[in-house]
Amino acid sequence: MEYTQLGRTGLKVARLVLGTMNFGPQTGEADSHAIMDAALDAGINLFDTANVYGWGADKGRTETIIGNWFAKGGGRREKTVLATKVYGDMTLDDRPVWPNHDKLSAVNIRRAVEASLKRLQTDHIDLYQFHHVDRNTPFEEIWQAMDVLVQQGKVLYVGSSNFAGYKIAQANEIAARRGSYGLVSEQCLYNLAERRAEMEVVPAAREYGLGVIPWSPLHGGLLGGVLKKQAESGRRAGGRAAETLADPAGRARIQAYEDLLDKHGLAPGEVALAWLLTRPGVTGPIVGPRTGEQLESALRAVELELSEELLASLDEIFPGPGPSPEAFAW
């Protein structure tokens, strides 16, 4: 496994991040524990989750599964860089959200971190991430709450998720004025088929020393050989993949992508991950395996070297916006 620094920090993390969103909803606890063991054995040390994972009536279930895994001992917690998130409400879907039980007020941050620590069966969170922007809470209040948690030793680093570039700048400028360390990472939607992050988010992250952690690196399965899988199994795509394939031009791009990689004898999903590892500013993409076999496939991407010719061909199929700020002007 290869390692890199998380943004401007001294923290070393693997070039692949284990995403746990499927643990609970799609993968049972025993299989989830087996996947986490295999990830550690392979050298993956950054595990990403969120307080709302489990969804619906099972919100918090994923953190509980991870906490039960930590409780097995064997150095599991000590080897893991634990990342979770705060923002979403933890009430059941059929109940209204009680005031101050979601988003980023100081009240909810304090409540949410204590609940996550209990579910995770740990005394600290290595990377505590804002799951979304809270337009109603000033960053001065947010940083005051986070500084208290850092001083208490309950949180070590703070990151963001789904932040626009100007929000990254705003958050870190206010943190600097307060003498706070600020954001050290941004988790954003970024992959071959969705490159808008290159316009502002990635440049802002690099300017302020944030590591970029792309989520949905296969764009909902679209970049994982979806057309070949459909032809072999007859199973229809859903979500982002279905939306793209419904558009003739989008479907043609995916066909060209799969044809290109078939010519090179490469697996589409592994190439999509390997491409992200070539992008400036990227710490490592989040992989969310439902099975051990999917984890093994993701691990192969770290060893995959893409030629300049192949990278150029991928750019032709999925052109990015171009360098920033030039992409805004011409």
Side-chain angles (χ1 to χ4, degrees), residues 3-71:
Y3 296 89
T4 188
Q5 309 297 126
L6 179 62
R8 66 186 184 280
T9 76
L11 185 67
K12 290 185 178 180
V13 294
R15 295 300 313 275
L16 287 181
V17 179
L18 182 69
T20 63
M21 189 169 65
N22 291 320
F23 295 174
Q26 298 192 46
T27 306
E29 182 159 340
D31 288 339
S32 298
H33 287 187
I35 290 172
M36 288 187 280
D37 282 334
L40 267 193
D41 288 344
I44 296 177
N45 65 338
L46 178 53
F47 289 15
D48 177 74
T49 191
N51 60 348
V52 294
Y53 289 174
W55 311 110
D58 289 324
K59 291 175 182 176
R61 175 62 179 155
T62 304
E63 285 188 334
T64 298
I65 289 173
I66 296 171
N68 291 340
W69 180 72
F70 285 150

Side-chain angles (χ1 to χ4, degrees), residues 115-156:
S116 284
L117 289 171
K118 183 176 180 179
R119 286 189 294 268
L120 291 162
Q121 300 189 51
T122 187
D123 62 356
H124 73 282
I125 294 163
D126 298 301
L127 178 62
Y128 204 34
Q129 303 162 109
F130 308 134
H131 212 157
H132 296 283
V133 170
D134 183 353
R135 295 180 176 87
N136 297 320
T137 305
F139 277 113
E140 288 83 357
E141 175 183 346
I142 294 170
W143 284 122
Q144 182 180 46
M146 298 308 300
D147 287 345
V148 170
L149 295 179
V150 171
Q151 291 163 7
Q152 292 174 337
K154 294 178 180 178
V155 168
L156 301 186

Side-chain angles (χ1 to χ4, degrees), residues 62-137:
T62 304
E63 285 188 334
T64 298
I65 289 173
I66 296 171
N68 291 340
W69 180 72
F70 285 150
K72 291 182 175 181
R76 288 175 171 84
R77 178 64 187 96
E78 292 76 13
K79 294 177 181 177
T80 301
V81 176
L82 173 63
T84 192
K85 307 184 193 73
V86 56
Y87 180 93
D89 74 272
M90 297 297 290
T91 57
L92 300 180
D93 284 349
D94 59 351
R95 299 179 184 176
V97 180
W98 190 255
N100 306 311
H101 278 63
D102 65 349
K103 301 186 179 176
L104 301 179
S105 69
V107 168
N108 188 57
I109 286 175
R110 176 172 177 170
R111 177 185 296 111
V113 75
E114 295 296 344
S116 284
L117 289 171
K118 183 176 180 179
R119 286 189 294 268
L120 291 162
Q121 300 189 51
T122 187
D123 62 356
H124 73 282
I125 294 163
D126 298 301
L127 178 62
Y128 204 34
Q129 303 162 109
F130 308 134
H131 212 157
H132 296 283
V133 170
D134 183 353
R135 295 180 176 87
N136 297 320
T137 305

Side-chain angles (χ1 to χ4, degrees), residues 213-292:
I213 303 174
W215 59 265
S216 196
L218 303 189
H219 209 57
L222 184 72
L223 300 171
V226 63
L227 294 178
K228 183 176 181 180
K229 291 176 182 177
Q230 282 186 345
E232 293 175 347
S233 68
R235 187 173 63 183
R236 301 182 65 181
R240 294 187 188 88
E243 293 175 7
T244 300
L245 296 180
D247 171 44
R251 188 180 186 91
R253 280 193 293 273
I254 299 305
Q255 187 65 68
Y257 171 68
E258 294 191 16
D259 289 345
L260 171 69
L261 300 185
D262 185 61
K263 183 176 70 173
H264 286 270
L266 297 171
E270 294 170 18
V271 169
L273 292 172
W275 177 83
L276 279 169
L277 293 173
T278 70
R279 298 299 90 190
V282 168
T283 299
I286 296 175
V287 296
R290 296 188 301 273
T291 66

